[in-house]
Structure formats: C-alpha cells, structure tokens
Amino acid sequence: MKIVFLDVKTIGEDIDLSGFDRLGEVVKYDFSTSEEVTERVQDADVIILNKVQVNEQTIGKAEKLKLVCVTATGTNNLDKEYLEKRGVAWRNVAGYSTETVAQHTFAMLLYLLEKIRYYDDYVKEERYINDTIFTHFAEHFTEISGKTWGIIGLGTIDIAKAFGAQIIYYSASGRPAQEGYEQVDLDTLLAKSDIISVHTPLTSKTRNLINRDRIAMMKPNAIFINVSRGGVADEAALTEAIEQKRLGGLGIDVYTEEPFSETHPYNRILSYPNTCFTPHNAWGAYESRLRCLSATADNIKAYLRGESTNRVV
C-alpha cells in the first residue's frame, strides 16, 4: 500500500511520523499545489492532507486511490459527491484539539481583557524604571467574573464557568438545548454578551453569520474572538468596528484567506492595542497534533479492517 502525505508541513516538523511506515510505503511532500497533486497521487492507495483540494481535477487520474484522510475536522476541501461516485472513502478527525483551542481562546481573551500588550510595553520601554509609584493603571481592565460570555458553538463553556462568567450559547446547527446550558437565539447572545467567541464549523448556514448588522448589535466594549473559520465573520466589517471604536477588542486566529495578503482588511488594524492575531494555530499545541496524527493512523488501520470510524460531517 502506498500512502502519500501531500502537505506534511501543515502538521509541523516536530511530529514523528515513523509509525506510518508500518502501514506501507510512505511518500511525504511539504506542500502540494493543485497542479502538482495529479502526478503525486496517481499511484497512491491512501492520501493524507490538510488543506489540499480533493476533486476530479486533482485526483481524477488516481485509479488506485481508496482512502482520503484529512488531518483536521473541517472537510470543505473535499468534493464528497465525486468521492462517493468514485467509491473512494474519506475520513477526518474530531475532538483532538478541544483543549488547545479552548486554551488559545483564553490566552487571547486575557491578553485583550488585561491590556497585557500595553503593560508589557510599559515595562519593556523602561517607563516603569524610577516611576513615581509601585503600580500603574493608565489602561482600564476588568475581571471575567460576572460578565456574560456568549459562545457560538459549545467550545469553551466549562472553562469559562470556572472563571465565574455567566454563560449563554447559540447553536448554529439548531440542535436541541443541552441540559445545564442556557441556549439563546443569536441576536440575544450578541446584545447581552460582554465576551463573544466563535467555535462553529463553516457551513452554508454559518458563512458570514457575523455580518455588519450583527456586529452593530454587540456592546461597544464587547470582545469578539474567532477561532473557528474566517468565513464565519465579515472581516471588513470587523475591521471597521475596531477602527470606529464600536468593539472593545478583537481576537482572530482564522481568516478567509490563509495566509492573508497585503490587501486584507486586517492589515489596517494590526498595530491596534486592542487586537490580537495569530496564524491559524489555535488547534496546534504539540499534544493536539500528536493526537491528530495518531487518529489519522487509526483511521487507516480501521479502514483496512473494513471498519468505518471517525468520519465526522
């Protein structure tokens, strides 16, 4: 069996992939363009990828292909109708990054809420040296405790409770309310929340879910954090809200264009002290990536045994 990794660098160079060698011949490519995929997969039995597009154009000549493994939960890059027509199975992984995404969400929130950038700069710029008093409060900061935290999806509820926040959530999928959690409609969540974080997949229902009109419903001091998918929010509208001081803070890990170009609207607010941007790595703690690759290997083994596991739509 031949296994081809098409964009192995997306899972980091610090992960040991030697376990896959026990499953067959393994070929690894750092990155693959759509044009390169056709040649690279033509004799593959299994392909493993993160962001590479899988469709008739890219894998149409891969006559031996039996299984497509995505090293992520999202599968927007797969043409599933074409795979089904071809009889090619696909598997993804879910639940591997729950802890690290929640941790990253809190890192962003605390950075913004505590005005860490300002106070870190204050000391590093030597303004604290021989200051008049032992402390400094030029930038106002507050506690999480007592605030209302609106969660779109169910990403960080239990940790948020530990900080004393009142939790409300909105389910974009329309699932029934979960016992012990207060479910509200989206407009109510946006209007009531001091903190809003997004943890929902990108679907036809959630694309541009947070648009200009909905941003206008938010409190002017609200902190908005997106660690789901860039397309869930209108990036130009979020940029304008920060520029016009209609949002208290913005934490972003995901983008419609990854990596984004010099014309992306966020370039206008990169230097703003109430923004925090990270390069789509909220999912990527070392332990999380280990779990992801272990689950991918398990998917291949299960497929070879004739089992259908870990396929999450």
Side-chain angles (χ1 to χ4, degrees), residues 53-54 199 222:
Q53 295 295 313
V54 176
H199 309 266

Side-chain angles (χ1 to χ4, degrees), residues 202-217:
L202 179 62
T203 67
S204 58
K205 290 183 179 179
T206 62
R207 187 174 296 279
N208 268 341
L209 185 71
I210 305 302
N211 55 32
R212 187 168 274 99
D213 290 341
R214 286 182 170 140
I215 292 169
M217 297 177 187

Side-chain angles (χ1 to χ4, degrees), residues 82-295:
Y82 175 70
L83 291 175
E84 184 175 356
K85 184 174 72 173
R86 280 273 310 271
V88 176
W90 63 267
R91 302 287 185 271
N92 58 346
V93 288
Y96 67 95
S97 63
T98 302
E99 291 84 0
T100 187
V101 172
Q103 176 178 296
H104 197 91
T105 302
F106 270 87
M108 282 187 153
L109 173 63
L110 293 172
Y111 175 88
L112 294 167
L113 193 67
E114 294 268 332
K115 310 295 174 63
I116 295 296
R117 177 174 174 175
Y118 171 81
Y119 288 111
D120 185 44
D121 287 346
Y122 182 81
V123 175
K124 289 178 177 176
E125 292 170 0
E126 301 183 3
R127 286 182 282 160
Y128 188 60
I129 294 175
N130 296 321
D131 206 351
T132 52
I133 60 172
F134 76 94
T135 191
H136 184 78
F137 297 119
E139 285 292 327
H140 182 77
F141 62 96
T142 60
E143 297 177 345
I144 296 173
S145 181
K147 287 186 169 52
T148 298
W149 188 324
I151 297 176
I152 301 174
L154 283 171
T156 60
I157 282 185
D158 291 330
I159 304 176
K161 279 186 173 180
F163 273 77
Q166 176 191 346
I167 308 301
I168 57 178
Y169 84 96
Y170 166 73
S171 173
S173 65
R175 291 176 182 169
Q178 297 200 22
E179 187 175 350
Y181 302 128
E182 182 183 354
Q183 185 177 22
V184 298
D185 61 73
L186 182 57
D187 290 356
T188 298
L189 182 144
L190 297 174
K192 291 181 64 175
S193 297
D194 303 293
I195 303 157
I196 300 164
S197 58
V198 184
H199 309 266
T200 190
L202 179 62
T203 67
S204 58
K205 290 183 179 179
T206 62
R207 187 174 296 279
N208 268 341
L209 185 71
I210 305 302
N211 55 32
R212 187 168 274 99
D213 290 341
R214 286 182 170 140
I215 292 169
M217 297 177 187
M218 299 179 192
K219 295 180 179 181
N221 62 343
I223 292 175
F224 179 81
I225 297 172
N226 186 7
V227 290
S228 60
R229 288 292 183 268
V232 172
D234 183 332
E235 294 166 324
L238 286 171
T239 298
E240 291 168 9
I242 290 294
E243 290 174 325
Q244 297 168 14
K245 298 183 179 180
R246 290 186 284 106
L247 270 182
L250 182 66
I252 301 292
D253 182 61
V254 288
Y255 311 88
T256 53
E257 182 187 355
E258 296 180 342
F260 60 75
S261 69
E262 61 276 4
T263 60
H264 194 285
Y266 286 154
N267 280 302
R268 306 204 308 261
I269 55 173
L270 293 182
S271 64
Y272 280 54
N274 61 338
T275 64
C276 179
F277 296 98
T278 51
H280 198 157
N281 64 352
W283 65 279
Y286 177 71
E287 297 87 348
S288 171
R289 288 180 287 124
L290 283 178
R291 289 191 293 268
C292 179
L293 269 295
S294 176

